[in-house]
Amino acid sequence: MYTVALIGFVGGLITGISPCILPVLPVVFFSGAQSSRDEGDTDTDAPDERPRKRFAEASRPYRVIAGLVVSFATVTLVGSSLLSLLRLPQDTFRWAGLIVLTTIGVGLIFPAVERLLEKPFSRLPMRQVGSNKSGFGLGLALGVLYVPCAGPVLAAIVVAGATGEIGLQTVALTVSFALGAALPLLIFALAGRRIVERVSAFRRRQRGIRIAGGVMMIGLAVALVFDVPAALQRAIPDYTGSLQDSVGGADDLTSRLQLGGIVTDENRELSNCDDGAEQLQNCGRAPALSGISEWFNTPGGAPLRLDDLRGKVVLIDFWAYSCINCQRSIPHVVDWYNRYRSSGLEVIGVHTPEYAFEKVPSNVADAAKRLDISYPIALDPSFSTWTAYRNSYWPAQYLIDASGTVRHIEFGEGGYANSERLIRELLTQGRPGVALPESSERGDTTPTDPTTPETYLGVGKVVNFAGGGSYEAGTGDFTASADQAADTFALNGRWTLDYQGATAVADSSVSLRYRAKNVFIVVGGTGDLRVTRDGVTSTVLIDGPPTLHRIVSTDDNRSGQVNVSVPAGVQVFSFTYG
């Protein structure tokens, strides 16, 4: 617990001194200046009002930062789960923050608007909740805007929120990160107050300062809409990058937090199983299927309960439709279902999305048809069942006997002959004397030669970017070098980056150095990809929701380079290899 909190605090502190603070720094600085300026108004107040007012004004910077910490932690912990539950756009909270920030700015410029903002809170002890004198409301708005730039530590927190299982460690990490990030901002706010205390001109121009502050806040909101701070951040070297890495990237923190392995009384005994064991094991009672938003291939879309399947052998298969590893594994699962269904086998494909577009039910249904899946599919958008089974892999299979006990676990591709043998053994145990059909003879297509690791284009997941330009959220220009290293990618032209992938803006392409027999791209939108390799150009038609397309196919595993020209508006998510 203490280690997690320390990691969060140090990560937040590093973020708080990085270029990431640029979008909110001017407003934080002004909040300190405003508190000092307002202290001059106390002379006209009644004597019994002065101490309370002086305290409120002196504490304004602290209230701004407190509001920032509260909203940052709340949006981070609850935001992704709430967005998933309500199926709201990913930018919902960001736009809410922009609206609040703009409203506060207008209130600073026009006193009538400020008084209107105060009315809903007139019965509260501190009336100016939404106005310039409170600061807490301003901090709430800034915290929402600060969330997207918090770096790799935030990525781990967001994954925790997506699971729907927010535990004590996750809360400790989030709060400690928020406090670490807020500490430098508090110093800037206090610095603004000290400067203004020593410059009498600020006291003589109170009205002008208020208007300037309002214009600054509105200007910040407009700049954020057009990603101007992101461009500024890219223009300034990220001098904290190496420090961030030393604290730990998203994958490292995810591992430390066991986000894919939260232990409960229900799943504790799963650790008794070895991955890919040759013999059946006793891994405890199978956890219930929870957090399922939609069912496919069941009568009327009715949900299935494991308790209702007692007497049958059940195979739980975790998959995601754009995952090439899953696509190579699923034909084996389809074969087993078709072959042994009448002998007592039930298969449930738990679709846990790796990307936001994989949460869309129609996309999942279309993918199931393409893959000839007729067994029941459970859509697990909040990672609830995934977490209950302590899973961390696509694909992953859990084999459950007729009594409801997990007897075998297989992570990743391969081991198909062994898994089928154990399925047959459990079917025979559950129904002694059952006549089983011949075993499947489908070949194992799992790659055995070394290949390039999966290449993600989402901000926060990039590990092998080799081009020119800062890989941060926002729109910018990129270039590829002539001596690009092996197993890397580089962007060319203008791109908009987010935490899902990269969207082409104009004259955009991806240069990829790889080692594989086949190269696949996960991409969505409308347009033609032009794929150039060894001087030969081919075209791949892209039209519709994101999915997997093969762009390179060779006879053997080899090293190569491919350039993919991407039309404007098309979004690239990842490259996979096989």
Side-chain angles (χ1 to χ4, degrees):
M1 174 70 70
Y2 297 107
T3 302
V4 169
L6 180 61
I7 291 172
F9 183 80
V10 174
L13 189 62
I14 293 170
T15 301
I17 61 175
S18 74
C20 187
I21 68 173
L22 291 174
V24 298
L25 180 57
V27 178
V28 170
F29 188 86
F30 172 80
S31 72
Q34 179 71 10
S35 68
S36 179
R37 184 209 46 84
D38 283 342
E39 290 175 5
D41 296 340
T42 59
D43 293 338
T44 60
D45 295 327
D48 59 340
E49 289 291 318
R50 291 173 186 173
R52 183 179 66 84
K53 189 171 183 179
R54 287 196 184 98
F55 174 78
E57 292 161 351
S59 63
R60 175 180 166 79
Y62 300 95
R63 295 200 305 275
V64 171
I65 301 304
L68 188 150
V69 170
V70 169
S71 65
F72 177 95
T74 302
V75 171
T76 302
L77 287 170
V78 182
S80 61
S81 297
L82 185 60
L83 291 178
S84 176
L85 179 64
L86 300 179
R87 300 184 179 181
L88 297 174
Q90 296 294 317
D91 276 349
T92 297
F93 290 112
R94 175 176 177 270
W95 283 105
L98 290 171
I99 293 171
V100 173
L101 190 62
T102 302
T103 304
I104 293 174
V106 173
L108 281 171
I109 299 172
F110 302 104
V113 175
E114 181 180 14
R115 290 191 294 272
L116 183 64
L117 293 174
E118 292 177 8
K119 282 187 177 180
F121 307 98
S122 58
R123 298 181 182 276
L124 299 178
M126 183 176 294
R127 296 181 53 186
Q128 295 90 354
V129 174
S131 72
N132 61 304
K133 294 185 181 180
S134 167
F136 190 77
L138 174 60
L140 291 176
L142 292 179
V144 174
L145 299 174
Y146 197 47
V147 167
C149 70
V153 177
L154 174 61
I157 301 170
V158 171
V159 172
T163 65
E165 299 285 344
I166 298 175
L168 188 59
Q169 282 188 322
T170 310
V171 173
L173 176 68
T174 308
V175 174
S176 62
F177 185 94
L179 290 173
L183 183 59
L185 294 175
L186 177 60
I187 293 174
F188 281 111
L190 293 176
R193 183 172 67 181
R194 294 292 178 251
I195 291 174
V196 174
E197 286 174 350
R198 289 162 174 76
V199 180
S200 60
F202 279 92
R203 296 183 181 275
R204 296 195 303 268
R205 297 179 174 86
Q206 297 177 11
R207 178 61 183 159
I209 291 175
R210 287 174 56 85
I211 295 175
V215 171
M216 183 187 302
M217 293 182 191
I218 295 173
L220 173 60
V222 173
L224 287 168
V225 170
F226 292 99
D227 288 325
V228 173
L232 182 59
Q233 286 175 233
R234 284 193 296 274
I236 298 177
D238 187 2
Y239 45 83
T240 62
S242 59
L243 293 174
Q244 293 265 14
D245 293 338
S246 67
V247 173
D251 292 340
D252 180 49
L253 284 168
T254 298
S255 174
R256 296 189 195 193
L257 284 174
Q258 293 184 324
L259 299 180
I262 297 175
V263 180
T264 66
D265 291 339
E266 186 183 34
N267 63 23
R268 192 177 307 279
E269 293 184 65
L270 289 175
S271 58
N272 296 338
C273 268
D274 299 318
D275 175 26
E278 293 290 327
Q279 304 298 326
L280 292 171
Q281 299 177 304
N282 189 330
C283 316
R285 183 168 293 275
L289 305 176
S290 59
I292 304 303
S293 64
E294 198 146 352
W295 285 87
F296 305 93
N297 298 336
T298 62
L304 296 182
R305 296 175 64 252
L306 292 182
D307 288 344
D308 296 334
L309 298 176
R310 295 290 181 260
K312 288 188 175 185
V313 175
V314 180
L315 179 67
I316 303 290
D317 179 51
F318 287 93
W319 67 296
Y321 78 75
S322 71
C323 164
I324 184 58
N325 311 85
C326 300
Q327 292 194 15
R328 287 193 291 258
S329 172
I330 282 174
H332 297 271
V333 180
V334 170
D335 274 359
W336 297 338
Y337 180 70
N338 294 336
R339 189 175 297 268
Y340 300 114
R341 181 182 183 185
S342 61
S343 302
L345 175 68
E346 182 64 271
V347 174
I348 299 176
V350 178
H351 188 278
T352 308
E354 186 174 10
Y355 296 102
F357 61 79
E358 290 178 318
K359 297 180 181 182
V360 180
S362 59
N363 292 349
V364 178
D366 292 342
K369 291 179 181 177
R370 290 196 302 269
L371 296 169
D372 296 323
I373 297 176
S374 58
Y375 50 78
I377 296 174
L379 185 55
D380 182 32
S382 63
F383 282 65
S384 181
T385 296
W386 170 286
T387 302
Y389 277 79
R390 299 169 61 182
N391 184 36
S392 297
Y393 300 91
W394 290 281
Q397 297 169 354
Y398 294 73
L399 186 58
I400 305 168
D401 67 17
S403 68
T405 300
V406 177
R407 304 297 300 278
H408 179 69
I409 297 176
E410 186 79 43
F411 292 138
E413 297 181 74
Y416 302 116
N418 182 54
S419 294
E420 183 174 11
R421 179 177 58 82
L422 298 179
I423 289 173
R424 294 172 66 89
E425 186 174 336
L426 288 181
L427 289 173
T428 302
Q429 290 179 6
R431 298 184 180 183
V434 65
L436 299 177
E438 294 294 323
S439 298
S440 171
E441 296 183 357
R442 177 180 289 272
D444 187 347
T445 59
T446 304
T448 56
D449 296 324
T451 64
T452 299
E454 188 163 2
T455 300
Y456 292 98
L457 273 67
V459 174
K461 301 178 72 175
V462 170
V463 295
N464 55 350
F465 176 65
S470 180
Y471 213 93
E472 297 177 350
T475 301
D477 297 311
F478 297 86
T479 56
S481 62
D483 56 348
Q484 185 177 333
D487 299 323
T488 64
F489 80 97
L491 300 180
N492 296 279
R494 193 162 181 80
W495 292 82
T496 297
L497 310 181
D498 58 34
Y499 286 87
Q500 292 289 308
T503 303
V505 177
D507 300 324
S508 307
S509 64
V510 185
S511 177
L512 182 69
R513 290 286 306 276
Y514 67 90
R515 179 175 180 81
K517 180 179 179 181
N518 299 293
V519 179
F520 304 86
I521 183 173
V522 178
V523 61
T526 301
D528 293 339
L529 299 182
R530 289 186 290 111
V531 181
T532 303
R533 182 174 64 91
D534 297 334
V536 178
T537 300
S538 58
T539 301
V540 178
L541 176 63
I542 305 299
D543 186 16
T547 190
L548 194 74
H549 299 267
R550 180 157 54 186
I551 58 173
V552 173
S553 178
T554 55
D555 295 332
D556 56 1
N557 201 70
R558 65 179 68 174
S559 297
Q561 183 166 357
V562 62
N563 188 79
V564 183
S565 296
V566 184
V570 170
Q571 187 171 18
V572 181
F573 296 89
S574 65
F575 292 94
T576 56
Y577 311 90

